[in-house]
Structure formats: C-alpha cells, structure tokens
Amino acid sequence: MKIAVLASGRGSNFESIAKAVKSGKISGEIAVLIVDRKNIGAIERAEKLGVNWIYVDPYGYSSREDYDRKIVSILKHLQVDLVCLAGYMRIVSEVFIESFPNKIMNIHPALLPSFPGLKPHEKAIKYGVKVTGATVHFVDNGIDTGSIIVQAVVPVSPQDTSSSLSQKVLELEHRIYPQAVKWFVDGRIEIKGRSVIVKNANYSTLPIVPALEDF
Ligand code: GRF
C-alpha cells in the first residue's frame, strides 16, 4: 500500500507515520511527502528519513482547485492508496476529495466535534473544558467534520497553557495516527455512512477509543 503525507510545518506527525512504515509496523511505503511551504521541519525530517518530498508552490496556481488538481495528478502518478494530512494548513477542495473518496485522513488536536479549525488548544482552555484530546478522521467537505476513526482523551488542569496542552496531546497524536494508518492498511476499517468501525477493535476502554494495539 502506498501512502502520501501532506504537511505544512514541523512534521512530527509525518515522522511518526514514516517511522512506523520504516520499522515494518505498517506494511506499506511512503510514496511521497508533499509540502506547500519551503524551509519547514517536515522537509528536514523527510531528508533524514530518506523519504522523497515534493514542494508544490501554491502561488503557481490561480485557484484552490487547480492547485489540488496538480497534487492529485502527482498522487495518481505515484499510485497512492492513502493520503494523510498532517499539519497541512490548506482546506482541500472537492476535486481532491472526489479523487480519493474515504482515502484522505486528517489529525486534529481536539475532541471533535469540539474546537474544529485553528487554535483548538486556546479554544479548549478558554472554554474551560476538563478533557480534550486528538481525533483522526476521514476528510470531507467541511473543516474537521469528516467521520471519526479514533479519539484520544487528555485531562486539562487549571495550570495548563495552550503550549503544555499541545505537548500532552501531541504525544498521543504520534500514537493514534500511525495506528489509524495501520488499521486502514490492514483492511480493518469499515465505513457505514458517518460511522467508521475498526473491525475486531476494543471499544470499551479509555483514554483511547478504539484501544491502541500496536503503538
Ligand atoms: C498537530 O497538532 C496536528 O494535530 C495539527 O497540526 C499539528 C501539526 O504538527 N493538525 P506536526 O507538523 O505534525 O508536528
């Protein structure tokens, strides 16, 4: 199975997936890392890991759709089966989604449907929630609205800042994202309307549902 990762920044989630593939925990290959910015951590990590990366300049295209058409053509050329958005700061257009139906995943550092979009940790603290977390979901036309694959819960203490919270959540992101990819690659994910079911998974324990098996 061929996996592509799209990133715009630091790239720590990209690295967690790439390492799981390299170690053989996920049986597939990372076909490419596509980035929409230069000089980012994700590129450095790709070079260290020996992953092929491509920069596609967003300013070279007159619309979001044209930009996505270019990306889709690269992904199709490489025969990519699964696309993972990992800190990718662009909203993907219908063109992209229709080319990879139920084959685009994203990770969002909140318990969706709470706090979609930008600055979720700030929003969580401002709201005063006592738990937050991370969600891996399929991508649909909305912002962080697609069907949920796995969620991890983290407690919020009165001392937490958005940076301390993001650190706690990030540790779990690095476990649930590769796990979701592995479930997909192993053919364990069943989609029924909005509901995503991981076959034979354990849905009865916190803090991660379904429970992690490999990470
Ligand atoms: C992560 O918190 C991810 O959930 C969010 O953006 C951040 C990206 O971090 N979508 P990194 O680039 O993977 O280190």
Side-chain angles (χ1 to χ4, degrees), residues 9-14 86-87 107-109 170 173:
R10 183 177 51 186
S12 69
N13 279 289
F14 155 68
I107 188 155
H108 182 71
L170 195 65
E173 290 183 46

Side-chain angles (χ1 to χ4, degrees), residues 111 114-115 121 123-133 152-160 165 168-169:
L111 289 177
S114 292
F115 314 127
H121 301 301
K123 289 178 190 162
I125 287 174
K126 239 189 178 161
Y127 199 94
V129 293
K130 303 298 175 250
V131 293
T132 185
V153 178
V154 161
V156 183
S157 82
Q159 288 76 38
D160 268 318
L165 208 49
K168 283 196 268 184
V169 172

Side-chain angles (χ1 to χ4, degrees), residues 182-190 197-201 213:
K182 182 172 167 56
W183 282 328
F184 183 93
V185 168
D186 292 346
R188 303 258 310 271
I189 294 189
E190 225 174 64
I197 297 154
V198 180
K199 286 182 254 175
N200 302 317
E213 297 164 4

Side-chain angles (χ1 to χ4, degrees), residues 40-112:
I40 55 173
I43 296 176
E44 272 174 42
R45 293 179 203 255
E47 302 233 313
K48 275 191 194 141
L49 291 159
V51 172
N52 174 34
W53 62 270
I54 299 175
Y55 165 65
V56 184
D57 181 0
Y59 297 105
Y61 301 84
S62 56
S63 67
R64 199 146 56 93
E65 285 74 17
D66 278 353
Y67 184 73
D68 281 356
R69 265 182 215 109
K70 174 66 188 175
I71 291 185
V72 166
S73 76
I74 296 171
L75 298 174
K76 292 287 181 194
H77 176 74
L78 294 170
Q79 298 180 307
V80 163
D81 304 290
L82 173 67
V83 180
C84 296
L85 310 184
Y88 184 61
M89 298 306 287
R90 312 183 73 76
I91 297 167
V92 298
S93 65
E94 202 129 351
V95 170
F96 198 156
I97 294 163
E98 280 169 6
S99 306
F100 288 91
N102 291 326
K103 288 181 179 154
I104 310 172
M105 286 184 187
N106 181 44
I107 188 155
H108 182 71
L111 289 177
L112 293 172

Side-chain angles (χ1 to χ4, degrees), residues 131-202:
V131 293
T132 185
T135 304
V136 179
H137 63 91
F138 284 114
V139 172
D140 69 4
N141 291 325
I143 296 176
D144 301 321
T145 52
S147 39
I148 292 171
I149 302 165
V150 55
Q151 294 187 298
V153 178
V154 161
V156 183
S157 82
Q159 288 76 38
D160 268 318
T161 60
S162 62
S163 115
S164 70
L165 208 49
S166 93
Q167 270 176 35
K168 283 196 268 184
V169 172
L170 195 65
E171 271 176 43
L172 290 180
E173 290 183 46
H174 295 159
R175 299 174 65 204
I176 63 174
Y177 210 174
Q179 180 70 76
V181 171
K182 182 172 167 56
W183 282 328
F184 183 93
V185 168
D186 292 346
R188 303 258 310 271
I189 294 189
E190 225 174 64
I191 304 166
K192 286 186 185 158
R194 253 209 81 86
S195 169
V196 173
I197 297 154
V198 180
K199 286 182 254 175
N200 302 317
N202 173 5

